[in-house]
Amino acid sequence: MSRVRVLDEETISHIAAGEVVERAASVVKELVENAVDADARSIRIGISADKTGITRISVTDDGVGMDFDDALLAFRQHATSKISRPEDLDGITTLGFRGEALASIAAISKVTFTTKERDSPNPEATRVVIHGGELISHAAVGAPEGTSVIIEALFYNTPARRKFQKSVPTELSHVYDMVERIALSNRDAAFVLLYNGKERFQTFGTGSFPDAIAAVFGSSFSKELTRVSGSFGPVKIDGWITRPGSEMKTTQTRFYLAVNGRQVTSRQLQWAIREGYGTLLPKGMFPAAFLDITLDPREVDVNVHPTKREIRLSREREVMRSVQDAVYQALHEERVFSPADPAPARERVMTLSAEIVGEPVQAYAVRREARQAPLKQTEKQLRRTEGADLPETDQFVPEVLGQIWDTYILAKNEVGDLIVVDQHAAHERIMYDQLLARASSAESGQELIVPQPVTLTKKEAAALPDLLDVLAAAGYLLEPFGKEVWMVRSVPVVSSTLGDPEVIHAILAAALEGVGSTDEVLDRVLKTAACRAVVKGNTPLTLGQMQRLLRQLMATKSPYTCPHGRPTTIVLSKSRLAGMFLRT
Ligand code: ADP
Ligand code: MG
């Protein structure tokens, strides 16, 4: 006897509904998102409840509405106006797209759906009534433009799901949370939420972020926030975060992230924001954050989770770093410049380092152009040692104050002492440790896509065959190609540009300089390779870059000396300065 059978339509629709509709708040989410997608300016949400639970949910909008036929079609599974071809999935800009919500909701409740198409010659509206997936009526009625959906008897035919509903206050708090999130990320629409006929909250659709935050959480709360905005790499960021020194919470409440207008949860993005605060965030405390993140929609996959709250980013690492930099910059500008300062974010940060150097700001502005190129180069160099994520460290990471002579980082350490860090020596320590960790392992080298020819001097060519093993341990594979020409086939993993002939000459010079055991020669090779691949002196760094460098440094085993044994860091304690100023 066959035991496998294809499920009937009703069972299928209940399964689909189970994925989309978990609780009353899911219904509210789907209906309100439909209103937003329908270009509504005004969205009114009504919730009624008694002792038995939530009894009625209504959402009314003034959006584009639908005609007679579409109003019914919209309740078919996989019926949507938002996409039509597989390619459309790669660039979704609406909140809905699967065409599942209305069908799912209608399968497990009693729905009254009234809609009138905007700007249509037909003066009539349409009403569709469906109970548990069964069409009760489909008729023309009189109603204003827009759409009104009433949901009653939610889960009446799915007792298991009904049993999982929590108390009315709990379910309500989920509804409020959902509506707040959608209202905060759709600020052009005005939202009103009523509970048992009483208004619970309202936004005004002014388009302004602070207005929306103030409407939801009160204006005194919104005053504790500071602006984050700008373009950082592939990402545009706009929003507000807790100003340092304001009250913070011990849990992550008031944390709102929207990616391309869609509310999402992302532990990684939360992490990036907290990292951006660095030492400004007291231990165990959480800032509030309201951030709109705009990315090329093709970089975002929203089709990974039934409720679409989780997303996948194709350039996650870059996005994380951009968010972190944005937060970092916002917080550090705040402390030095008045909020009225009109200069765009990036310029301001760089002006800050110029001021510490003591240059007049104007003269600096002229030089700004010239500074862009080294910043990019520095970014590449820093990323070489950074890996996928900024390294974890238990050590306190000093807080960057600025840069001086484009060569030293000024920072404040754990006990508040002023420290001066040699940026080159610091990065050398980081790079050397990583090269050493990989040396002699199978992972020391990475093959160059295009082998790099190097023309050697007679002396180099003569010595090279004896050095091949040491070089291979460091990650360099060289092969003879002609009499004095050799091909560089692989270079150490952490650095992709070390195939540069000039670097090869320097490496050979280091290897040939004096005698020594194999280990000593390897050490000299690694030090030279490290030195060539890292951030140099006389190079301007942004505050974010300096902070990342210090974090990388603190994650090394001996952060205070460079591989050559020179110090990376000098501490100017308060008492030492007092002594220098002859204060007693
Ligand atoms: P999706 O939003 O994924 O397209 P839904 O089942 O939520 O799927 O809605 C189906 C279709 O019904 C939508 O694509 C849209 O065309 C239409 N629709 C739903 N709600 C509204 C509304 N409030 N105003 C106008 N059209 C709506
Ligand atoms: Mg929808």
Side-chain angles (χ1 to χ4, degrees):
M1 228 199 49
S2 165
R3 281 187 247 173
V4 177
R5 64 189 140 251
V6 174
L7 296 174
D8 62 53
E9 288 294 326
E10 193 187 349
T11 314
I12 292 173
S13 68
H14 280 203
I15 292 171
E19 282 181 18
V20 181
V21 188
E22 233 179 316
R23 56 183 3 148
S26 337
V27 173
V28 172
K29 170 180 190 284
E30 296 297 336
L31 298 181
V32 173
E33 288 190 344
N34 279 349
V36 169
D37 281 346
D39 187 35
R41 291 286 142 156
S42 157
I43 300 171
R44 189 181 178 86
I45 301 123
I47 308 288
S48 305
D50 58 20
K51 274 178 271 154
T52 64
I54 292 181
T55 51
R56 187 177 190 270
I57 297 167
S58 68
V59 175
T60 307
D61 68 59
D62 61 354
V64 295
M66 278 184 279
D67 68 14
F68 187 82
D69 292 337
D70 276 2
L72 184 59
L73 191 58
F75 284 91
R76 288 261 298 275
Q77 238 175 13
H78 312 299
T80 179
S81 57
K82 298 169 192 173
I83 58 171
S84 56
R85 301 164 306 164
E87 303 89 276
D88 295 344
L89 282 171
D90 295 334
I92 287 169
T93 54
T94 50
L95 297 172
F97 60 86
R98 293 198 187 122
E100 275 175 346
L102 289 183
S104 297
I105 294 167
I108 50 166
S109 68
K110 299 181 176 172
V111 179
T112 307
F113 189 92
T114 311
T115 186
K116 173 164 181 346
E117 201 175 9
R118 192 188 274 174
D119 303 325
S120 156
N122 178 0
E124 290 185 306
T126 307
R127 176 162 295 159
V128 176
V129 179
I130 298 180
H131 289 180
E134 211 170 301
L135 182 65
I136 305 293
S137 68
H138 178 203
V141 293
E145 279 182 355
T147 302
S148 144
V149 195
I150 298 168
I151 307 295
E152 286 161 310
L154 182 63
F155 302 128
Y156 79 102
N157 53 355
T158 52
R161 184 53 59 98
R162 194 172 60 233
K163 270 217 302 269
F164 277 104
Q165 301 308 299
K166 301 278 183 323
S167 68
V168 170
T170 303
E171 292 304 325
L172 273 180
S173 76
H174 285 283
V175 170
Y176 292 160
D177 184 64
M178 187 60 75
V179 177
E180 282 168 10
R181 286 175 186 280
I182 301 175
L184 283 165
S185 51
N186 295 281
R187 300 178 290 274
D188 290 329
F191 290 75
V192 187
L193 190 148
L194 297 105
Y195 173 59
N196 284 345
K198 281 203 213 81
E199 189 184 304
R200 282 306 173 94
F201 100 100
Q202 180 168 25
T203 63
F204 301 93
T206 62
S208 131
F209 218 148
D211 282 358
I213 296 170
V216 177
F217 297 112
S219 56
S220 61
F221 170 74
S222 69
K223 291 204 181 83
E224 293 177 358
L225 304 174
T226 187
R227 178 95 188 266
V228 184
S229 97
S231 288
F232 299 80
V235 183
K236 221 178 113 236
I237 294 170
D238 189 27
W240 295 79
I241 56 176
T242 304
R243 196 186 290 269
S246 306
E247 195 198 325
M248 298 213 193
K249 299 263 186 295
T250 52
T251 54
Q252 193 107 70
T253 50
R254 302 192 175 178
F255 208 84
Y256 294 77
L257 288 175
V259 173
N260 292 348
R262 180 187 306 281
Q263 278 299 324
V264 296
T265 52
S266 162
R267 294 175 67 85
Q268 287 94 324
L269 284 171
Q270 289 184 6
W271 177 86
I273 290 167
R274 300 195 72 211
E275 278 307 286
Y277 274 83
T279 55
L280 294 175
L281 195 64
K283 260 210 165 65
M285 296 306 243
F286 290 81
F290 303 86
L291 291 183
D292 267 351
I293 298 175
T294 312
L295 281 164
D296 183 338
R298 284 168 302 184
E299 305 263 357
V300 188
D301 187 356
V302 292
N303 199 12
V304 292
H305 191 264
T307 64
K308 308 186 213 95
R309 282 213 54 192
E310 282 165 29
I311 52 167
R312 206 176 285 142
L313 302 172
S314 60
R315 287 198 278 172
E316 181 164 272
R317 220 168 73 193
E318 267 178 85
V319 173
M320 293 311 135
R321 187 153 299 144
S322 304
V323 169
Q324 189 180 334
D325 277 358
V327 168
Y328 183 88
Q329 293 198 6
L331 297 175
H332 287 75
E333 283 156 32
E334 157 97 356
R335 312 165 89 208
V336 184
F337 294 90
S338 70
D341 191 324
R346 219 163 254 286
E347 283 177 33
R348 273 192 269 161
V349 170
M350 305 212 296
T351 312
L352 165 62
S353 60
E355 279 188 343
I356 290 178
V357 176
E359 287 176 327
V361 172
Q362 257 97 356
Y364 179 74
V366 179
R367 284 184 49 206
R368 206 181 61 234
E369 267 317 286
R371 284 185 171 229
Q372 297 290 354
L375 280 179
K376 279 203 190 119
Q377 166 75 8
T378 306
E379 194 53 38
K380 274 200 212 145
Q381 290 165 332
L382 269 183
R383 285 183 188 188
R384 276 182 199 148
T385 45
E386 214 156 61
D389 293 309
L390 283 174
E392 290 287 330
T393 172
D394 301 337
Q395 299 298 312
F396 179 87
V397 178
E399 181 192 332
V400 171
L401 304 170
Q403 188 188 26
I404 190 162
W405 303 308
D406 288 348
T407 300
Y408 302 103
I409 298 167
L410 304 181
K412 209 164 78 178
N413 73 7
E414 196 167 10
V415 292
D417 290 338
L418 177 65
I419 63 169
V420 184
V421 179
D422 180 328
Q423 63 195 38
H424 175 67
H427 201 202
E428 223 172 11
R429 157 58 63 199
I430 299 160
M431 176 68 90
Y432 172 80
D433 281 12
Q434 296 191 6
L435 289 173
L436 190 64
R438 285 175 181 267
S440 307
S441 80
E443 290 155 24
S444 64
Q446 84 186 0
E447 216 167 302
L448 294 176
I449 297 168
V450 182
Q452 168 74 47
V454 206
T455 309
L456 301 179
T457 64
K458 285 213 169 61
K459 188 182 158 201
E460 286 170 343
L464 189 54
D466 289 335
L467 294 173
L468 288 177
D469 286 348
V470 176
L471 292 178
Y476 288 101
L477 283 185
L478 285 90
E479 279 174 7
F481 190 68
K483 222 166 150 201
E484 265 129 39
V485 179
W486 285 62
M487 281 295 188
V488 183
R489 296 217 159 265
S490 90
V491 298
V493 168
V494 278
S495 151
S496 50
T497 61
L498 288 180
D500 183 350
E502 213 221 308
V503 176
I504 301 295
H505 290 300
I507 301 267
L508 290 175
L512 292 172
E513 158 199 310
V515 283
S517 68
T518 311
D519 279 352
E520 283 164 350
V521 177
L522 176 62
D523 199 49
R524 286 206 298 271
V525 167
L526 294 180
K527 279 174 187 163
T528 308
C531 175
R532 290 304 177 112
V534 299
V535 172
K536 308 249 176 323
N538 274 318
T539 309
L541 269 60
T542 66
L543 289 173
Q545 290 174 332
M546 291 188 267
Q547 194 67 67
R548 281 157 53 200
L549 185 63
L550 292 192
R551 169 170 281 273
Q552 292 184 35
L553 180 65
M554 295 319 290
T556 63
K557 285 207 191 73
S558 18
Y560 299 109
T561 57
C562 83
H564 305 284
R566 290 193 296 270
T568 59
T569 306
I570 284 171
V571 181
L572 288 170
S573 65
K574 196 173 175 191
S575 58
R576 193 158 160 205
L577 280 178
M580 289 161 105
F581 284 111
L582 306 177
R583 293 167 73 124
T584 43

